Amino acid sequence: MVEQPVASTAPELVLETETGSTVMTPVRDYRVGRDPLSDIVLDDDRVSWHHAVLRPNGGHWTLKDEHSTNGTYADGRRIDAWDVGPGSVIRFGNPTDGPRAVLVGLADPAPERPSAVSRPALTHIFREPASVRPLPRRTVRIGRDEDNDLVVDDLLVSRRHAELRAHTDGTYEIVDLGSHNGTYLNGLQVTAALINPGDIVGIGHSDFCLVGDQLQEYVDTGEISLDVQDLTVAVDRGSKTLLDDVSFPVGEKCLLAVVGPSGAGKSTLLNALTGQRPADHGTVLYDGRDLYHDYAELRQRIGLVPQDDILHAQLTVRSALTYAAELRFPQDTARAERLARVEEVIRELGLEQRADQSVHSLSGGQRKRVSVALELLTKPSLLFLDEPTSGLDPGMDRSVMHMLRGLADDGRTVIVVTHSVLSLDVCDRLLVLAPGGKVAYFGPPGDALAFFGFTQWPEAFEAFDRDRDRDWAGEYRVSPFHRQYIADATAQPRLPREGPVIVGPPPRPRHWGAQVITLVRRYTAALSADRTFLLVMIALPFVMGGMARALAGSELTRRSAMNALLILCVGGVLTGAANAVREIVKERVIYQRERAVGLSRSAYLMSKVVVLGTVTVLQAVVLTLVGLLGVDLNAPGGRGVVMPPLVEITIAVALLAFTAMMLGLVVSALVRKEEVTMPLLVLLALVQVVFCGALLQLEGVPGLEQVAWLVPARWAFGAMAATIDLARVSPGELTGDPLFEHAVGVWLLDIGMLVVLSVVFGYVVSRLLRRREPVVMRK
């Protein structure tokens, strides 16, 4: 970052890319490139490490290419230096499909109101300030600790979160102090930025505005409205419409139910409203604020309970909520503060009697309450639930819906997508979607059946499937219900949006190490409580080691050496792969939800590697020692290649098991259902046996030899064979393989390839995890 020697009069701009937005203030340069330390990071191979720089120059901004390999393009032309401003479109690395950036001006706001709210008087949050104080003449520190100048009592706020700095020229600057959940200016995360009158500075659930000579604080207490305007979602290049011009308002403390036949777009609407898969066109206003534009900040105020439980079933209710609180609250939150919030939520959901039960022992309705409790930890204002009563009996169905009614009455906006129509009477509003993602009805639940002309809901759903050509949406648009409950009830003005919606992902999570530690502890606790896993984990190395021992006897001979090493290979593969092959797919829903609220992908993967890797290596050591301890390995002169023979073989088996574990994670991240993992585990083991080199001639056979390079057992068997000089112990055509040679270079190659394959498999797992993430998180 280069500080400007002379203050620039260039305007503040917002640089919007597919992966986020950056507020550029004219006090320094902004570097663009693939370097993770760049101000604007573009993860594309066509972008150079240091690609370009945006520099304030007098009263304007200049874009300068930094001798990039593939060039920088403005207005379709390759440029070396170019003046840019609001409306400029820039491409990096390719003029047609390279990473795209758009410069947007920060319009001068009206001084009497927050600039990012369309109509503040009609919102709850910005209707009346929670506190008003004179503008400070010095630096004011904002945070959760009592020693701050401005105390914000919110667990989403760090102890020392940000500073509001007053400059001698009368301007103000907001500076983030390395907070956990970030500081935002008009919805965009900033580390330091100048503030104009009317701008919104977001910290936790609080928003601060400079209005006249006052600093006004507005607190999001949960009573917010949601205005959905003209949402459209299409796939297959626009040939298939999933949502078609969906509009409706949701008032404060409202419980809205969304129903419709299968394929009507209910899940698509849920993803669009939560920001996980933004609509192609249209606007969602969160109490007057553009949810898509301000998603990085507002995501913290949205709770989502998926259809599947977002809980580790082996943990107790209290421990599951405690680990979730560690991941979602700032690292500087005291343990007592977290536990107090956990206990508060447990009481709010009536879970006191179940707090020390394991989640898997709860009934379906109770598990759903725990999932809701997890989301309530951060006090979301907007709560979404996807099929919360699926699989529940009628009594539990009604109990869950009454719980949601209570949550709305307590000051939240609750939207539930459901197939059940048993308890719609407890809802304030009902949205019925017809096939094609069209609004067939929006209004009070009690009037819906009469509007459709039926007496029972099954008749209505049969009509949706039977009368595909009926214009359900058109009939509703001309009805009094549309005029009363949509046209006349929408408080916010229509905000037409031209072109595709670009939503940046949430900010990159901080405190990566703290996340890894929490995830490791949680994963260890979950595995320790899984008795089946523990039994298999303990028994498998002893069983496989015993088989190897039986084959080896007291000495590795011409008849026993090949088979003993083969059994060690099979045992190493099975222990490693069996440990990991279910561990990602069974947590798919948990990972998706936690990733959406800021979990680091690499931290999640690292926790798996640390815990499973430790278990796997210990198993491999036990397996090898049970099989070969005390056995005469018949190595040349009693020595291995670089270490004692038993040590070298233990290292080879341990690395093989670890690499097989990483391959198991690849399989687990690749499949969609846990049930298919066991057949794939058997197939995996067979492939390792066939291509390890003990059964087939691989060296010099085109095709087979190259495939075998990707098989971990091929290199592990080679390392063990090199240790004992298998060609000498058991001469033959198969043992003459060059990878079995008793030489330092060969042994190191075999071991090194296992390390390389582990790294490659880890990278593949990371990319597969990305495919399972919400769209806005794929960066």
Side-chain angles (χ1 to χ4, degrees):
M1 288 185 278
V2 179
E3 297 295 336
Q4 298 300 310
V6 179
S8 173
T9 59
E12 283 190 319
L13 296 177
V14 178
L15 182 75
E16 295 185 348
T17 68
E18 292 180 356
T19 57
S21 302
T22 302
V23 178
M24 301 195 310
T25 55
V27 296
R28 65 179 180 90
D29 296 349
Y30 289 81
R31 300 197 172 276
V32 184
R34 215 169 65 248
D35 183 358
L37 298 180
S38 298
D39 300 290
I40 296 98
V41 180
L42 299 176
D43 187 13
D44 189 296
D45 292 338
R46 294 169 295 181
V47 177
S48 297
W49 195 254
H50 300 293
H51 195 103
V53 61
L54 284 152
R55 177 172 293 125
N57 185 7
H60 63 277
W61 288 82
T62 298
L63 171 68
K64 187 177 187 309
D65 186 85
E66 296 282 88
H67 307 291
S68 64
T69 302
N70 295 312
T72 304
Y73 302 84
D75 298 333
R77 293 180 292 177
R78 183 163 184 166
I79 57 98
D80 176 58
W82 193 259
D83 289 344
V84 293
S88 294
V89 178
I90 309 166
R91 293 275 187 181
F92 299 93
N94 188 285
T96 56
D97 63 351
R100 178 176 179 266
V102 179
L103 287 169
V104 179
L106 284 175
D108 292 333
E112 69 278 4
R113 66 175 181 84
S115 61
V117 182
S118 62
R119 197 172 287 180
L122 299 179
T123 70
H124 179 84
I125 298 174
F126 295 98
R127 194 176 300 150
E128 292 292 338
S131 67
V132 177
R133 65 194 71 206
L135 282 178
R137 301 305 177 190
R138 58 179 180 82
T139 296
V140 171
R141 192 174 68 206
I142 306 171
R144 197 175 74 251
D145 233 0
E146 293 294 334
D147 65 351
N148 289 287
D149 303 295
L150 204 165
V151 179
V152 180
D153 186 15
D154 182 351
L155 287 180
L156 291 179
V157 177
S158 297
R159 290 189 180 278
R160 293 170 176 80
H161 195 105
E163 286 183 349
L164 179 62
R165 298 176 180 174
H167 295 168
T168 56
D169 60 358
T171 61
Y172 289 86
E173 181 183 22
I174 188 69
V175 179
D176 185 81
L177 299 180
S179 65
H180 180 86
N181 287 313
T183 301
Y184 302 86
L185 179 64
N186 295 329
L188 305 178
Q189 189 182 18
V190 295
T191 53
L194 295 176
I195 308 173
N196 292 315
D199 283 350
I200 298 176
V201 176
I203 295 178
H205 287 89
S206 296
D207 294 303
F208 299 90
C209 302
L210 306 184
V211 181
D213 58 353
Q214 296 176 338
L215 175 63
Q216 298 183 355
E217 179 183 6
Y218 298 86
V219 180
D220 187 345
T221 59
E223 298 180 16
I224 63 101
S225 63
L226 193 73
D227 279 88
V228 180
Q229 301 179 356
D230 311 319
L231 292 193
T232 300
V233 176
V235 294
D236 298 333
R237 297 185 178 181
S239 62
K240 182 178 181 181
T241 301
L242 302 182
L243 283 184
D244 189 356
D245 200 27
V246 172
S247 302
F248 58 90
V250 186
E252 301 164 10
K253 297 185 179 182
C254 179
L255 174 57
L256 167 68
V258 181
V259 301
S262 297
K266 298 186 298 296
S267 296
T268 303
L269 176 63
L270 187 70
N271 288 333
L273 296 182
T274 57
Q276 295 195 96
R277 198 296 189 186
D280 299 318
H281 299 281
T283 306
V284 180
L285 293 180
Y286 175 103
D287 217 39
R289 298 179 66 179
D290 188 331
L291 174 66
Y292 291 162
H293 181 274
D294 297 357
Y295 181 73
E297 177 187 352
L298 297 180
R299 70 180 181 103
Q300 302 177 51
R301 308 181 193 181
I302 298 174
L304 171 62
V305 181
Q307 181 175 349
D308 297 325
D309 293 328
I310 48 177
L311 305 157
H312 288 83
Q314 299 83 7
L315 299 178
T316 66
V317 171
R318 181 174 281 110
S319 62
L321 295 177
T322 300
Y323 284 121
E326 286 189 38
L327 289 172
R328 299 193 182 196
F329 291 146
Q331 189 179 1
D332 60 15
T333 306
R335 183 173 183 270
E337 291 179 292
R338 290 197 302 269
L339 293 180
R341 179 56 187 158
V342 168
E343 295 301 324
E344 184 181 351
V345 169
I346 287 176
R347 289 192 300 272
E348 184 177 0
L349 273 298
L351 294 167
E352 299 96 323
Q353 304 302 318
R354 311 290 183 184
D356 294 316
Q357 280 186 235
S358 58
V359 173
H360 69 77
S361 68
L362 301 177
S363 67
Q366 291 164 348
R367 285 199 302 272
K368 193 59 63 176
R369 283 179 178 267
V370 180
S371 293
V372 173
L374 190 150
E375 289 300 309
L376 293 186
L377 286 171
T378 55
K379 299 184 178 180
S381 303
L382 191 56
L383 182 63
F384 293 90
L385 300 99
D386 187 9
E387 300 288 355
T389 60
S390 177
L392 301 184
D393 61 56
M396 281 292 184
D397 180 301
R398 192 153 187 86
S399 175
V400 169
M401 291 302 291
H402 275 281
M403 173 191 68
L404 300 181
R405 174 73 268 167
L407 292 176
D409 292 338
D410 287 342
R412 301 177 185 87
T413 299
V414 181
I415 298 177
V416 53
V417 173
T418 180
H419 276 100
S420 174
V421 294
L422 297 177
S423 302
L424 296 181
D425 58 303
V426 305
C427 301
D428 300 296
R429 291 288 183 268
L430 174 65
L431 172 66
V432 182
L433 291 177
K438 299 178 180 180
V439 177
Y441 175 82
F442 179 82
D447 295 333
L449 281 174
F451 171 77
F452 291 126
F454 300 105
T455 58
Q456 300 291 331
W457 278 107
E459 297 174 344
F461 285 118
E462 287 177 0
F464 283 133
D465 288 332
R466 184 180 61 249
D467 302 333
R468 291 277 179 172
D469 295 332
R470 181 173 172 180
D471 188 7
W472 300 95
E475 292 177 13
Y476 177 71
R477 278 195 302 270
V478 299
S479 72
F481 288 98
H482 181 275
R483 183 172 59 255
Q484 181 177 356
Y485 296 110
I486 293 184
D488 295 343
T490 302
Q492 292 292 333
R494 311 295 287 182
L495 296 182
R497 181 183 297 278
E498 297 180 358
V501 178
I502 298 178
V503 180
R508 293 184 177 182
R510 293 180 170 86
H511 306 299
W512 181 88
Q515 284 195 358
V516 172
I517 292 172
T518 299
L519 291 169
V520 165
R521 288 172 45 240
R522 183 180 69 176
Y523 191 36
T524 301
L527 291 182
S528 300
D530 188 339
R531 295 180 180 178
T532 302
F533 177 84
L534 287 177
L535 182 62
V536 172
M537 179 186 72
I538 294 172
L540 187 58
F542 283 98
V543 171
M544 299 302 299
M547 294 172 61
R549 185 78 175 207
L551 288 172
S554 60
E555 179 184 6
L556 293 184
T557 63
R558 177 170 185 168
R559 296 182 58 186
S560 65
M562 181 81 81
N563 291 334
L565 297 185
L566 179 59
I567 289 296
L568 289 177
C569 267
V570 174
V573 169
L574 284 178
T575 53
N579 286 344
V581 77
R582 296 181 306 122
E583 295 307 301
I584 289 181
V585 65
K586 75 179 184 181
E587 294 181 0
R588 176 174 53 86
V589 177
I590 298 175
Y591 172 72
Q592 288 175 336
R593 181 61 193 137
E594 292 184 340
R595 180 78 174 116
V597 296
L599 178 69
S600 164
R601 183 192 309 147
S602 59
Y604 176 80
L605 179 56
M606 182 58 68
S607 71
K608 297 293 183 188
V609 172
V610 169
V611 176
L612 292 177
T614 300
V615 171
T616 298
V617 169
L618 289 176
Q619 287 177 296
V621 171
V622 171
L623 163 66
T624 309
L625 294 181
V626 169
L628 296 182
L629 185 64
V631 175
D632 182 0
L633 300 180
N634 202 6
R639 296 189 300 273
V641 179
V642 294
M643 287 175 283
L646 185 58
V647 174
E648 288 187 4
I649 292 178
T650 301
I651 290 174
V653 175
L655 272 176
L656 170 62
F658 184 88
T659 309
M661 178 207 76
M662 298 300 295
L663 184 56
L665 289 178
V666 171
V667 173
S668 191
L670 187 63
V671 300
R672 293 182 177 272
K673 296 184 179 179
E674 190 176 345
E675 294 80 10
V676 304
T677 56
M678 288 302 105
L680 289 176
L681 175 62
V682 174
L683 178 62
L684 198 63
L686 288 176
V687 169
Q688 303 298 315
V689 170
V690 171
F691 287 96
C692 71
L695 302 179
L696 292 177
Q697 178 73 34
L698 299 174
E699 193 270 329
V701 180
L704 286 181
E705 182 178 18
Q706 286 71 38
V707 171
W709 292 346
L710 301 176
V711 177
R714 166 70 165 153
W715 305 100
F717 189 87
M720 291 188 286
T723 293
I724 66 172
D725 195 4
L726 186 60
R728 176 187 57 82
V729 175
S730 180
E733 185 177 356
L734 291 179
T735 59
D737 195 311
L739 293 181
F740 300 172
E741 184 181 347
H742 186 75
V744 173
V746 172
W747 189 84
L748 291 177
L749 172 64
D750 291 332
I751 295 298
M753 281 301 299
L754 288 172
V755 175
V756 170
L757 286 176
S758 295
V759 174
V760 170
F761 292 153
Y763 175 78
V764 173
V765 174
S766 177
R767 303 308 293 176
L768 290 174
L769 282 174
R770 180 181 180 274
R771 293 172 52 195
R772 299 285 185 260
E773 295 171 359
V775 173
V776 295
M777 298 301 301
R778 298 175 189 173
K779 55 182 186 247

